[in-house]
Amino acid sequence: MSTKRTGGRILVDNLIAQGCDRIFQVPGESFLAVLDALHDSSEIDVVTCRQEGGAAFMACADGTLTQRPGICFVTRGPGATNASIGVHVAMQDSQPMILFIGDVDRSMRDREGFQEVDLPAMFAPLCKWATRIEDARRIPEYIARAFNVATSGRPGPVVIALPEDMLCDVVEAVDRPRVEHAIRGLDPAAYDDLLTRLRAAERPVAIVGGAGWDGATSGAFDAFARSWGIPVAGAFRRQDAIGNWSKCWAGNLGYGPNPTLVARIKAADLILAVGARLGEATTDGYTLITPDHPGQLLIHIHPDPSELNQVYRTDLAISASVFEAADMLARLPFPEQPNPAAEAAHAEWLDWSTPKPRSGVTLDLGLCVAAMRERLSAADTIICNGAGNFSGWWHRYWHYGNPGTQLAPTAGAMGYGVPAAVAGALRCPEKTVVAVAGDGDFLMNGQELATAIQHGVNMLVIVVDNGGYGTIRMHQEREYPARLSGTELSNPDFALLGKAYGTWSETVETTAQFAPALDRALAHPGVKLLHLKTDIEIITNGTTISAIRKR
């Protein structure tokens, strides 16, 4: 298409050409021309959010679910700085996203105009590509390139500044067709080398999840691991890499992993890492697997060659898309009898992930997760959470389904759960979407309940309220026992707050109250909120403040 249009119209037309069907935005006068073009575009659902950080989190979560860039629009200055948290999450989580920022008029630049920020300079360290479109004729070129950059290699965010006057220019532009990211194939020599090393290994363990991981990859890798009998561990917050019902699933790495899984990783003679970056959280500060890993072979498969040999000495580095790698592994000639280690590791995980009642605990979150498991299907439920010790109960005791059933930031950002649940409920209305948030975590983006209500989503919010920033309190007690400073919180009545937004809400104070309250919540359409009042003494699923102080 090549007709005279405004820059805003060209931009919207090219988003549609790339397959965009939804954007998350907080409106600003700097991109009114885009909003005007969206008025006439029934192909794109416009989700109006209440804060730019929430909008960016929604776009990040949407990109996770679709494997295409989640799209977010915000205005310059305050809008851009608020949205930067979502860009950081998309980068560290290797998820495709494009953030468009309305910028100052080109004639006003470099005068520190109203809300002016050098946006490409600000975002360059946070994303894969940060740029500014100066000529409306080149909008199709920039959009096509942005989609390619966001989805190729290690997926991630792109940030594009849009000068306000450029969006109003009426020009001719030639639209670009939909961009599909190139598939990186496998070197036949690497195939032979990998097979030889696998056959020689006695105690192999796989660590999976990350860049580009999807349902097809999950199925292929699961078939490979079961055929060989290789225990499979999920990288930090990649617990939906394969359905946890798989007989080779060994559990998750990160904070508070199963000690028997940790022992397996340490004893392994071969580590097969596929898609995972082996970052700080997954490797417990690069100690579980050290950069030089003496006595262990490391086969690292990742779609971005720059990730290979960046931190770790790699015995066999393969740059390939995760699906191509998993499909190749599934086609390898497998042994007559699988290694019994996989089923043994799965049995250990089943025991670890089965909650046992804790004496003296009024509201036992482990038993609450068990009640959820009895009522909700792992395959048809999306669990969304931000950061905080509260998430550890779900990480340990919830059984996740296939890719797309866990929305949780590996960047450890607070305030992610509620916005991610909004995006998940819009994208997957057939699934049960649950946002789990701590009290501190919830109040960072709880205002997006208004977005959920406005857009008619169906989701459940569980607020775990212990009256403090629990994770920091835990560290504080370890380093400075009984010297509280800056970690206590005075909270609202979250059930009443939820009702003010228009949710169905209820407060839960005991374990016995939870299951009936959950049943009532699930029976209601729309947005539901359960306010769980817990004791901060029960600081994690495995210890207490008193025990930390004694140590």
Side-chain angles (χ1 to χ4, degrees):
M1 180 177 181
S2 178
T3 58
K4 283 197 171 184
R5 294 163 285 168
T6 66
R9 179 76 258 171
I10 296 167
L11 177 56
V12 170
D13 288 343
N14 279 270
L15 286 175
I16 293 170
Q18 295 302 328
C20 171
D21 62 359
R22 177 170 292 123
I23 69 167
F24 303 91
Q25 63 95 31
V26 177
E29 69 272 23
S30 57
F31 61 96
L32 288 176
V34 175
L35 294 174
D36 182 69
L38 287 166
H39 180 271
D40 300 321
S41 297
S42 59
E43 299 96 328
I44 296 180
D45 177 28
V46 179
V47 181
T48 299
C49 307
R50 297 308 178 97
Q51 204 259 12
E52 292 88 357
F57 280 155
M58 290 182 202
C60 181
D62 196 51
T64 303
L65 292 170
T66 66
Q67 300 289 309
R68 296 286 288 177
I71 305 298
C72 182
F73 277 81
V74 301
T75 196
R76 59 202 176 221
T81 51
N82 280 341
S84 64
I85 186 173
V87 176
H88 183 250
V89 167
M91 189 67 197
Q92 290 222 323
D93 283 36
S94 303
Q95 304 298 5
M97 171 189 175
I98 303 175
L99 174 65
F100 292 98
I101 305 172
D103 201 1
V104 298
D105 188 295
R106 286 169 292 188
S107 66
M108 301 295 178
R109 193 177 302 150
D110 298 327
R111 292 176 173 175
E112 197 180 345
F114 181 61
Q115 299 183 339
E116 182 179 4
V117 173
D118 185 342
L119 296 168
M122 171 187 166
F123 280 96
L126 295 178
C127 66
K128 292 186 72 175
W129 181 39
T131 189
R132 177 187 286 113
I133 302 178
E134 302 282 9
D135 184 348
R137 296 173 185 82
R138 295 184 64 188
I139 288 174
E141 171 194 339
Y142 275 87
I143 300 304
R145 180 177 172 186
F147 271 77
N148 181 63
V149 171
T151 57
S152 63
R154 175 186 170 188
V158 169
V159 178
I160 300 179
L162 306 168
E164 182 177 358
D165 59 320
M166 182 276 297
L167 293 172
C168 296
D169 286 349
V170 178
V171 300
E172 284 194 358
V174 179
D175 296 339
R176 293 281 183 97
R178 180 182 169 110
V179 171
E180 302 291 352
H181 72 275
I183 299 297
R184 184 180 292 273
L186 288 158
D187 181 350
Y191 175 100
D192 294 336
D193 195 356
L194 188 150
L195 179 59
T196 298
R197 292 173 188 266
L198 277 176
R199 283 173 169 165
E202 296 180 0
R203 299 176 305 281
V205 176
I207 301 174
V208 301
W213 201 276
D214 59 12
T217 305
S218 173
F221 195 89
D222 183 28
F224 154 73
R226 283 186 286 107
S227 297
W228 284 74
I230 297 177
V232 179
F236 177 53
R237 291 184 166 174
R238 305 295 194 188
Q239 291 170 253
D240 62 348
I242 62 173
N244 294 177
W245 49 74
S246 171
K247 295 296 184 181
C248 60
W249 178 252
N252 62 294
L253 297 175
Y255 300 113
N258 186 352
T260 61
L261 175 58
V262 171
R264 281 188 181 277
I265 299 290
K266 290 182 176 179
D269 58 354
L270 183 148
I271 301 292
L272 174 62
V274 182
R277 294 179 55 241
L278 300 180
E280 178 185 352
T282 295
T283 63
D284 192 19
Y286 306 100
T287 61
L288 178 58
I289 304 169
T290 65
D292 292 309
H293 49 88
Q296 289 182 325
L297 291 175
L298 174 62
I299 299 175
H300 198 177
I301 303 175
H302 198 279
D304 193 334
S306 66
E307 286 296 325
L308 301 170
N309 286 301
Q310 184 183 88
V311 175
Y312 291 88
R313 176 188 60 76
T314 306
D315 298 287
L316 177 59
I318 300 176
S319 180
S321 74
V322 288
F323 171 72
E324 291 294 316
D327 186 59
M328 177 271 291
L329 289 167
R331 296 172 187 274
L332 290 176
F334 50 85
E336 291 185 8
Q337 292 294 327
N339 191 320
E343 289 204 12
H346 184 64
E348 292 165 357
W349 170 76
L350 285 173
D351 180 66
W352 172 253
S353 65
T354 300
K356 285 83 174 175
R358 295 176 73 172
S359 61
V361 178
T362 304
L363 178 54
D364 189 330
L365 289 176
L367 299 184
C368 292
V369 178
M372 289 178 61
R373 280 171 46 187
E374 291 172 359
R375 289 158 174 79
L376 299 174
S377 159
D380 298 316
T381 302
I382 303 175
I383 302 292
C384 313
N385 63 265
N389 276 5
F390 70 89
S391 64
W393 274 272
W394 278 263
H395 291 347
R396 177 171 175 177
Y397 297 125
W398 182 257
H399 291 186
Y400 291 86
N402 285 320
T405 58
Q406 182 181 39
L407 294 176
T410 67
M414 295 179 72
Y416 182 88
V418 171
V422 174
L426 287 168
R427 182 59 61 186
C428 306
E430 75 285 359
K431 293 194 175 182
T432 301
V433 179
V434 182
V436 185
D439 45 348
D441 179 68
F442 176 79
L443 280 178
M444 291 196 175
N445 269 313
Q447 76 283 343
E448 299 304 341
L449 285 180
T451 305
I453 294 291
Q454 178 175 340
H455 291 274
V457 305
N458 186 33
M459 61 188 246
L460 170 64
V461 179
I462 297 175
V463 181
V464 181
D465 175 9
N466 64 7
Y469 285 120
T471 302
I472 311 307
R473 172 73 180 274
M474 175 185 68
H475 294 309
Q476 191 173 59
E477 293 284 1
R478 186 187 64 237
E479 302 296 332
Y480 306 98
R483 292 178 58 82
L484 273 65
S485 177
T487 55
E488 294 178 286
L489 295 173
S490 177
N491 287 322
D493 183 323
F494 288 107
L496 280 178
L497 182 62
K499 289 176 181 177
Y501 279 106
T503 75
W504 178 94
S505 302
E506 195 166 310
T507 297
V508 175
E509 299 189 62
T510 69
T511 307
Q513 292 173 352
F514 178 78
L518 178 61
D519 289 335
R520 289 189 288 273
L522 294 173
H524 278 267
V527 185
K528 293 83 65 171
L529 186 148
L530 292 177
H531 176 195
L532 277 54
K533 302 186 77 169
T534 65
D535 185 351
I536 200 166
E537 164 68 12
I538 314 302
I539 195 65
T540 74
N541 60 69
T543 191
T544 63
I545 286 178
S546 298
I548 293 172
R549 288 179 179 176
K550 286 179 182 178
R551 285 202 296 269

